[in-house]
Each structure stands twice: as structure tokens, then as C-alpha cells.
Amino acid sequence: MMEEQKQSSGIPVSGLDSGRFRKLKIFIQTTNGLFSGYTLCQQQQRLLDALNKGGFSGKLQSSSDFLTLVEADVVTSEGEPRRMDIAFIRKSNILFVGEGNSEPAAAPSAAYPIRRKKPVQAAISLAQTTLTGNMHSEMWEELQDALNRSDQFIPVTDVIFNPALQGGIKHADFVAVNKDHIIYVGK
């Protein structure tokens, strides 16, 4: 049996195949604060799929109720920032997850065939903030159809936050929004 190793991200792994897994830099807005750090996805897995179908825990076990975050910087509504080596964040408490700069993903495979979608400009109101950006729907869908899909997290691109998030984050290229926390969506 191989001895447990640590990558620079602090994720304990046994014989990690770097051709199979990649680190994703993310930030997570929860009901009580902002988390930032790294999560782990398969090379061919998108963040959205890790949220909707399950990602990997620190021991590379599939996890669907919690999102694993390592080297986590946390700023809660109570104030003082703090650092955690690892945090398991319950997905039901996540308002949205944004992607930061990460290791590049492998070239897309047949697992995710490219389908043409149309961008739909939308304002998404949550209790603490409003996100304005592009939702993406199938060419024949309307905005309501995109909202009524079975997935828990919906993708939004080119997002502007109003007000800005803690730490001054005003924009993100990609955000996955938890539908359970949406108050309304307008266009």
C-alpha cells in the first residue's frame, strides 16, 4: 500500500493520478460567509457537474452532500478571517460557487458534447446580493425552462455582483447558483 501523500494544495491523496484529477480554485458564498480555496475534480469533470452529481472528498471518495475545500480562507459575517486546512461545506447552505484561476482542464471529450446554447441576460436575486449575468438555455428553451431543470446548481457566466462580495469581488467569469436560494430571476 502506498504511503499517504500531500499535494501542494494540502489534499491528502493516495497515489493521486495528476492525469485524472485537477485542482480548481473556487470561492463559495454561503448563508454566513465567503470561503475561498481549492476543490478537486476529475480532469474531464466540470465544476457544475461536481456540484450537481458529486465531487471528491479529501480521500478521493465521491461526495454529494458536501463540497470539499482545502487551504480554505473563511470570512464570516461575524468578522475575523481565518484559515482552515480542510472544510466540508454542506451544499444546501451554498448560495453560489465561483471559479477562480485553476489548472487548465484537459481537452473536452465525448463525455461533454458541445451543444449550442443561447445566452439569456438575467438578474438573479438572492437574500444578500444580486447577480447579473448570462444564463444559458437550449436554443428552443425559454428562461423558465432553464430554471426548471432538475439540476440543483445552474450556470451563469460573466457575472456582476451587487453589492460586491467580501474581499471586493465584483465580477466572475463563471458562477454556479443554488436554485434553493433564488428569490426571483428577471430579465
Side-chain angles (χ1 to χ4, degrees):
M1 186 181 226
M2 293 184 76
E3 190 175 70
E4 186 167 87
Q5 303 170 5
K6 280 193 173 195
Q7 276 195 323
S8 62
S9 68
I11 300 175
V13 294
S14 298
L16 175 68
D17 179 358
S18 62
R20 187 171 164 216
F21 296 100
R22 65 187 174 101
K23 292 188 317 185
L24 277 178
K25 176 81 173 149
I26 62 173
F27 61 90
I28 302 169
Q29 182 69 55
T30 67
T31 53
N32 78 330
L34 183 70
F35 292 71
S36 62
Y38 295 90
T39 195
L40 194 62
C41 289
Q42 293 179 20
Q43 277 291 353
Q44 298 294 331
Q45 188 179 41
R46 302 174 303 175
L47 174 60
L48 190 63
D49 295 313
L51 290 165
N52 285 322
K53 296 177 176 71
F56 288 88
S57 70
K59 294 189 179 199
L60 300 183
Q61 297 169 332
S62 182
S63 172
S64 59
D65 291 337
F66 291 84
L67 183 63
T68 304
L69 193 66
V70 296
E71 296 178 14
D73 292 312
V74 184
V75 180
T76 63
S77 54
E78 288 89 46
E80 287 300 309
R82 63 182 206 181
R83 177 78 174 227
M84 289 188 260
D85 292 335
I86 192 164
F88 300 96
I89 302 165
R90 187 147 179 98
K91 289 180 185 177
S92 60
N93 289 320
I94 294 174
L95 301 175
F96 54 85
V97 178
E99 246 184 90
N101 295 329
S102 302
E103 296 175 359
S109 71
Y112 299 109
I114 297 173
R115 295 188 321 239
R116 234 178 112 197
K117 295 187 176 188
K118 65 179 177 184
V120 178
Q121 181 76 25
I124 302 170
S125 178
L126 307 173
Q128 301 172 0
T129 190
T130 298
L131 292 73
T132 303
N134 293 312
M135 294 181 60
H136 297 269
S137 62
E138 300 292 342
M139 296 305 280
W140 62 88
E141 286 183 325
E142 296 299 323
L143 180 59
Q144 184 177 1
D145 298 319
L147 289 169
N148 286 327
R149 289 190 200 124
S150 62
D151 290 337
Q152 184 63 44
F153 289 85
I154 57 174
V156 184
T157 59
D158 199 25
V159 177
I160 297 171
F161 301 104
N162 187 18
L165 304 179
Q166 293 167 327
I169 300 171
K170 297 176 184 177
H171 176 267
D173 291 334
F174 175 83
V175 173
V177 179
N178 186 340
K179 290 191 311 187
D180 283 345
H181 295 281
I182 294 174
I183 298 169
Y184 70 84
V185 176
K187 65 178 197 171

